[in-house]
Amino acid sequence: MDNTKLSKDEFLLFAKIKFCLEHDREEYEGIKESISLFKSAMKAQKSYVIISELESAGQGIKQKEFYDYAERTLENFDDSETFKEQINKKIIEILPQVKTEEGKEKLRTYATEILNLSEDIFSVQLFCVFKKQELKDFLVLKSINENITNLQETDVVSLKALTCLVMASYDDFEALGDIIDVKGKKSNPDTYAKIIQYIALGERHKNSYGQFEQLINVMRQWYPIYQKIKDIREEYPRENYRQPKDFIKPIPGIDLYNKYRNYLTDQNTGSHYVDFGEEMESATT
């Protein structure tokens, strides 16, 4: 499971950020939910734009009836499966009443995009909020998504470069602030840069991180056994006891443990960004 990719600086940066988010620590404190909302917005931005364009185009009575029904149903959203049943039932009812093939195709497209949104509760919630905003808000998402997609590898690692990118389109990001809960002291270019960095690194390392998690889970099973062996050795030191040969053998796995423990420890503060199962707390050296 120990792969050379897991030792690269970019991956270790992602592992550190992820740990801080999950434990609400350091400069990532309080932005975990904002990241979830932002990810949902980026994931759904294409559907948002298509839906909005269809609603803005010319529409017949039956099309408008279906759009209004879908919007009301979303506002009372309970779960994805129920919503799908409601939308599919309505589209079957409405389609035969639409005269043109073009109108039918627009309804099918609208239904498809609405159903895509229903896969993610955050996407649904954001859509309902956006519906109360102007159309340009949907286009803001499209613009931001394009900027993120065009990021180069060096840009993702450099928080400074990402902050410059945010500053160039800061009006767009500020338009999202209230919607993704970036308010008060959190509302600044650095916060948006951290959000973009985490999402971009997550996309790049989603497969590697799964491998890393498997490795750490194995190490968590290993750690209590290692700790018991270590305690026994310390309880019976060589100076006071005749030790068996096994006492001086290297403990299997210790090199791997030290490797990631060192990689994911802040050398200035002693804070750890990986949990092998020991009590995790900030320490100073």
Side-chain angles (χ1 to χ4, degrees):
M1 292 180 188
D2 183 31
N3 191 302
T4 54
K5 289 186 296 185
L6 306 184
S7 304
K8 294 188 180 298
D9 289 344
E10 185 181 294
F11 175 81
L12 294 169
L13 172 63
F14 174 62
K16 173 186 171 181
I17 295 172
K18 192 171 180 66
F19 183 89
C20 287
L21 281 169
E22 289 175 351
H23 293 81
D24 208 25
R25 279 176 47 175
E26 300 177 15
E27 67 265 37
Y28 297 92
E29 182 180 352
I31 66 170
K32 184 177 180 180
E33 184 173 351
S34 295
I35 288 176
S36 296
L37 289 167
F38 190 87
K39 284 175 69 175
S40 293
M42 291 301 103
K43 179 183 174 183
Q45 62 86 24
K46 185 177 179 181
S47 293
Y48 290 153
V49 172
I50 292 172
I51 290 168
S52 189
E53 287 174 348
L54 285 170
E55 289 179 345
S56 299
Q59 50 188 264
I61 295 173
K62 289 301 175 182
Q63 284 172 277
K64 188 172 189 315
E65 180 185 334
F66 182 74
Y67 298 163
D68 290 344
Y69 173 82
E71 185 176 341
R72 288 195 308 272
T73 309
L74 272 179
E75 288 174 352
N76 298 293
F77 185 88
D78 288 320
D79 64 85
S80 182
E81 287 306 313
T82 302
F83 180 76
K84 285 178 182 178
E85 289 176 10
Q86 292 169 322
I87 292 298
N88 287 328
K89 182 179 178 181
K90 190 66 175 177
I91 197 76
I92 290 171
E93 173 195 325
I94 291 278
L95 272 179
Q97 302 176 48
V98 178
K99 295 179 181 179
T100 66
E101 190 55 41
E102 181 185 1
K104 290 180 180 180
E105 187 56 35
K106 285 182 178 180
L107 275 181
R108 291 191 191 100
T109 302
Y110 190 96
T112 297
E113 299 303 332
I114 282 287
L115 290 175
N116 285 342
L117 291 185
S118 72
E119 297 293 335
D120 180 350
I121 184 62
F122 283 139
S123 294
V124 172
Q125 292 172 350
L126 289 169
F127 180 73
C128 292
V129 173
F130 274 123
K131 289 292 289 181
K132 299 174 184 177
Q133 308 294 331
E134 298 178 5
L135 173 61
K136 67 176 183 179
D137 288 327
F138 291 108
L139 299 179
V140 160
L141 289 177
K142 184 178 180 181
S143 172
I144 291 174
N145 188 63
E146 287 171 352
N147 285 333
I148 294 174
T149 302
N150 293 329
L151 285 173
Q152 301 300 311
E153 183 174 345
T154 51
D155 295 332
V156 175
V157 174
S158 170
L159 196 60
K160 185 177 180 180
L162 291 173
T163 302
C164 290
L165 180 148
V166 170
M167 287 297 295
S169 308
Y170 194 56
D171 288 346
D172 289 347
F173 285 96
E174 276 199 315
L176 290 176
D178 287 342
I179 296 170
I180 64 169
D181 195 31
V182 177
K183 304 173 185 174
K185 292 181 180 179
K186 290 191 294 182
S187 183
N188 59 68
D190 284 350
T191 298
Y192 292 109
K194 291 184 181 80
I195 290 172
I196 292 172
Q197 183 180 53
Y198 177 74
I199 291 172
L201 286 171
E203 277 300 307
R204 189 166 296 181
H205 296 292
K206 56 187 175 185
N207 294 329
S208 298
Y209 196 81
Q211 193 174 353
F212 178 72
E213 282 189 313
Q214 291 178 32
L215 172 63
I216 297 305
N217 283 334
V218 170
M219 297 304 293
R220 286 190 183 117
Q221 296 172 48
W222 168 90
Y223 181 79
I225 303 169
Y226 153 73
Q227 193 61 53
K228 287 177 182 177
I229 294 171
K230 183 169 171 286
D231 290 345
I232 292 170
R233 289 185 175 187
E234 289 175 354
E235 187 178 350
Y236 301 100
R238 187 175 183 180
E239 295 79 16
N240 301 331
Y241 298 90
R242 276 194 309 173
Q243 295 179 337
K245 291 181 180 180
D246 285 345
F247 263 53
I248 59 173
K249 285 184 179 179
I251 300 173
I254 188 66
D255 289 341
L256 199 59
Y257 169 75
N258 286 330
K259 173 184 172 180
Y260 285 101
R261 197 75 156 75
N262 292 334
Y263 278 157
L264 291 167
T265 296
D266 188 308
Q267 299 306 312
N268 294 320
T269 66
S271 294
H272 307 305
Y273 303 107
V274 61
D275 182 1
F276 287 112
E278 68 269 62
E279 182 181 356
M280 297 301 300
E281 57 183 14
S282 296
T284 54
T285 56

